[in-house]
């Protein structure tokens, strides 16, 4: 059963209970008042009759006086009088006032008015024996009470219905934002991060709405960043492949061609007996092969950065430094590596930090010295990459390098700081990574 229906049912039950209790209390009071009124009416009637009976023996026309006595009760609201003869036959009765519509029997029974009649024997007169019977007549009052009861019930029912309707409207309005939130959450589950909710609910709901919007915003930003990173990765891979193709074409191609030419010339020298010229050509071939070997090694370093896991972190960083040192002969490296062999995810993250740190330094800072230090701290590995280049921001990069770095570090529970170096000189990146307990130590 929906929550709002339950709330309305409970409120309805409470109202019904209150109405029932109120009616019972009012009914009890009405019954008391009615009884008192009837008792007073009967007392008055009895006194009237007693007074008349005192004068009756002296009367010349007792029958007429008795009839007149009965007539005095005509129209009495509370007492009905009947004159009975010696045989119990009715001689005269008073005419009781009639209400519009008699109250229903159950209502009368509920008020429990006792119909206690009173029979007063006639005094000795010429009229003879007989009695005057007085009977309480509560019908008029009960009828009036019934009408009041109906009016009261009408007011109560209409008020209760109006109250319930208002509660229903307020609850429905209060629940509407929750329904919208539920729909948006379902959308979020389906990957729709753009949906937001209007922040217009009651204070309690407003917190939920704000929280939802913040969460959806964060998810949207993360998803956009992931997309961007994926695109960046794809672009990088494309660039890398084009770069490698160029290197193979420009560096290896001409040397292979030169080697084949030299081999042909050697064959010709051998055929024509010019053996003295052959060693020089052989040296040429050997030098070209050495050059190509170096090129192929460098390419392998670029193609296989995951050698971290294969040859260890220190070897991978040393290879990286060699790679850059050959390309930037004027750039100096200061390398401090730990004695312990580090592998696993920590090593992978540390390598990526050094790789991007050095990349950035070369690209943005144009430094003369890059310091790379990996040191063991208390239960952590401290990775530092510092340079003495410029720390001025340069436009042009996609700005994903440092973001990716932070994500890698934080995913492993570590922390990262970067920015211009001390006294605004150069640039510094520092990461604290959890020391690899299981797989890291040898
Ligand atoms: N060693 C550094 N020297 C000077 N500025 C740096 C250095 N490292 C980072 N920066 C500044 O920080 C910015 C962000 O670096 P980040 O690596 O995130 O992006 P990027 O290098 O510009 O692009 P990419 O996504 O290709 O790495 C750089 O654009 C640069 O302005
Ligand atoms: Mg970068």
């Amino acid at each position: 059963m929906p929550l709002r229906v339950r709330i309305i049912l409970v409120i309805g039950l409470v109202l019904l209970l209150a109405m029932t209790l109120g009616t019972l209390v009012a009914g009890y009071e009405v019954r008391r008042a009615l009884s008192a009124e009837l008792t007073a009416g009967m007392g008055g009637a009895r006194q009237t009759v007693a007074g008349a009976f005192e004068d009756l023996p002296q009367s010349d026309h007792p029958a007429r006086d008795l009839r007149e006595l009965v007539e005095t009760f005509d129209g009495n609201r509370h007492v009905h009088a009947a004159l009975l003869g010696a045989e119990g036959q009715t001689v005269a009765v008073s005419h009781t006032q009639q209400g519009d519509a008699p109250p229903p029997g159950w209502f009368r029974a509920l008020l429990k008015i006792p119909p206690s009649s009173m029979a007063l024997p006639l005094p000795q007169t010429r009229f003879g024996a007989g009695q005057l019977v007085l009977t309480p007549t509560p019908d008029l009052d009960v009828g009036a009470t019934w009408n009041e009861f109906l009016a009261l019930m009408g007011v109560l029912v209409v008020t209760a219905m109006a109250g319930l309707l208002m509660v229903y409207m307020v609850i429905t309005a209060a629940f509407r934002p929750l329904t919208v939130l539920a729909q948006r959450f379902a959308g979020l589950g389906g990957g729709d991060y753009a949906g937001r909710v209007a922040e217009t609910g009651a204070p309690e709901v407003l917190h939920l709405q704000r929280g939802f919007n913040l969460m959806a915003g964060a998810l949207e930003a993360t998803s956009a960043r992931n997309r961007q990173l994926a695109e960046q990765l794809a672009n990088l891979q494309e660039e890398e492949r084009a770069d490698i193709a160029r290197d193979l074409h420009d560096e290896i191609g001409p040397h292979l061609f030169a080697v084949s030419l030299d081999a042909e010339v050697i064959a010709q020298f051998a055929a024509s007996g010019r053996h003295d010229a052959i060693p020089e050509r052989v040296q040429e071939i050997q030098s070209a092969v050495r050059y190509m070997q170096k090129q192929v090694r460098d390419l392998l370093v670029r193609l296989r950065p995951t050698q971290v896991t294969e040859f260890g972190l220190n070897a991978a960083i040393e290879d990286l430094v060699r790679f850059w040192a050959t390309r930037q002969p004027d750039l100096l490296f200061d390398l401090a590596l730990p004695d312990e062999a580090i592998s696993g995810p920590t090593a992978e993250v540390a390598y990526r930090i050094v790789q991007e740190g050095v990349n950035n330094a070369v690209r943005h800072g144009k430094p003369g010295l890059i310091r790379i230090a990996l040191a063991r701290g208390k239960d952590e590995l401290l990775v530092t990459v510092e340079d003495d280049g410029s720390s001025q921001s340069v436009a042009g990069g996609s700005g994903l390098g440092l973001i990716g770095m932070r994500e890698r570090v934080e995913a492993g529970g570590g922390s990262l700081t970067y920015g211009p170096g001390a006294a605004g000189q150069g640039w510094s990146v520092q990461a604290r990574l959890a020391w690899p307990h299981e797989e890291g130590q040898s």
Side-chain angles (χ1 to χ4, degrees):
M1 191 189 295
L3 191 54
R4 66 181 150 180
V5 177
R6 270 193 247 175
I7 293 174
I8 288 166
L9 269 186
V10 169
I11 294 176
L13 275 176
V14 170
L15 279 178
L16 195 68
L17 198 70
M19 273 166 63
T20 312
L21 274 177
T23 311
L24 285 179
V25 171
Y28 174 77
E29 284 302 322
V30 165
R31 192 177 146 226
R32 230 164 43 97
L34 251 157
S35 276
E37 218 167 309
L38 283 178
T39 310
M42 285 290 279
R46 188 201 174 115
Q47 268 179 7
T48 309
V49 171
F53 278 8
E54 263 175 34
D55 302 336
L56 208 57
Q58 290 87 45
S59 170
D60 297 332
H61 309 285
R64 190 195 65 199
D65 289 351
L66 278 170
R67 275 205 181 78
E68 279 176 5
L69 177 62
V70 170
E71 274 169 19
T72 58
F73 287 96
D74 281 353
N76 191 305
R77 285 178 67 85
H78 300 125
V79 184
H80 172 260
L83 179 62
L84 304 183
E87 309 299 323
Q89 78 281 18
T90 306
V91 179
V93 290
S94 68
H95 300 288
T96 311
Q97 227 186 73
Q98 292 296 323
D100 307 336
W106 64 265
F107 188 74
R108 213 193 134 122
L110 215 64
L111 290 178
K112 282 199 192 118
I113 309 291
S116 46
S117 302
M118 194 187 284
L120 304 168
L122 298 182
Q124 282 281 293
T125 60
R126 273 190 288 139
F127 180 79
Q131 51 189 356
L132 197 122
V133 180
L134 297 176
T135 312
T137 52
D139 279 8
L140 265 181
D141 286 336
V142 174
T145 309
W146 169 245
N147 287 338
E148 279 168 22
F149 173 75
L150 283 184
L152 181 72
M153 278 298 133
V155 170
L156 282 181
V157 168
V158 169
T159 314
M161 296 305 279
L164 281 181
L165 189 71
M166 275 161 66
V167 169
Y168 178 82
M169 278 159 56
V170 168
I171 289 180
T172 306
F175 272 67
R176 197 168 301 124
L178 292 182
T179 316
V180 175
L181 262 178
Q183 285 166 356
R184 289 281 185 274
F185 266 115
L188 214 58
D192 170 18
Y193 302 135
R196 298 283 186 282
V197 291
E199 296 179 8
T200 53
E204 298 82 350
V205 182
L206 204 64
H207 287 308
L208 273 178
Q209 290 168 328
R210 283 209 185 116
F212 176 87
N213 285 343
L214 281 175
M215 187 180 73
L219 278 173
E220 194 179 19
T222 307
S223 131
R225 218 163 61 195
N226 281 347
R227 251 199 324 275
Q228 213 184 348
L229 277 171
E231 277 167 22
Q232 170 84 355
L233 194 65
N235 286 344
L236 274 179
Q237 280 173 346
E238 282 303 307
E239 274 173 30
E240 190 77 3
R241 285 165 64 131
D243 219 26
I244 290 168
R246 225 173 9 250
D247 278 4
L248 279 172
H249 175 269
D250 295 351
E251 305 285 351
I252 311 287
H255 285 85
L256 279 176
F257 184 59
V259 166
S260 91
L261 278 185
D262 283 339
E264 259 177 49
V265 171
I266 289 174
Q268 284 168 11
F269 285 167
S272 61
R274 291 181 56 194
H275 296 279
D276 53 325
I278 291 178
E280 192 191 337
R281 291 290 150 188
V282 170
Q283 269 178 12
E284 290 289 333
I285 290 180
Q286 281 173 333
S287 130
V289 166
R290 266 197 305 276
Y291 182 83
M292 286 191 286
Q293 274 176 335
K294 188 177 162 304
Q295 294 298 320
V296 168
R297 241 195 339 268
D298 287 351
L299 274 178
L300 283 179
V301 169
R302 284 165 65 190
L303 281 171
R304 306 191 63 196
T306 47
Q307 61 178 331
V308 184
T309 45
E310 253 171 75
F311 303 114
L313 178 60
N314 289 1
I317 292 179
E318 279 160 1
D319 264 343
L320 183 77
V321 168
R322 248 197 310 278
F323 172 83
W324 281 110
T326 51
R327 276 157 183 77
Q328 307 273 323
D330 297 337
L331 181 56
L332 293 177
F333 282 89
D334 173 0
L335 196 57
L337 297 173
D339 297 333
E340 296 98 330
I342 301 169
S343 60
T346 306
E348 185 73 34
V349 174
Y351 178 77
R352 294 294 179 194
I353 291 168
V354 174
Q355 189 184 37
E356 177 63 13
V358 175
N359 253 337
N360 278 350
V362 175
R363 232 170 106 191
H364 304 303
K366 310 266 180 301
L369 174 75
I370 297 180
R371 195 172 76 82
I372 301 169
L374 274 74
R376 181 170 190 173
K378 188 174 175 291
D379 260 353
E380 60 187 9
L381 175 65
L382 275 143
V383 183
T384 312
V385 181
E386 287 173 339
D387 66 71
D388 61 355
S390 147
S391 55
Q392 297 296 311
S393 262
V394 214
S398 66
L400 290 173
L402 292 175
I403 292 175
M405 215 188 258
R406 182 178 294 286
E407 282 175 352
R408 281 180 200 277
V409 171
E410 287 178 354
S415 64
L416 177 82
T417 52
Y418 53 77
Q425 278 291 303
W427 189 270
S428 159
V429 174
Q430 194 163 56
R432 292 171 181 278
L433 310 175
W435 186 265
H437 278 292
E438 311 266 303
E439 73 276 82
Q441 280 165 293
S442 56

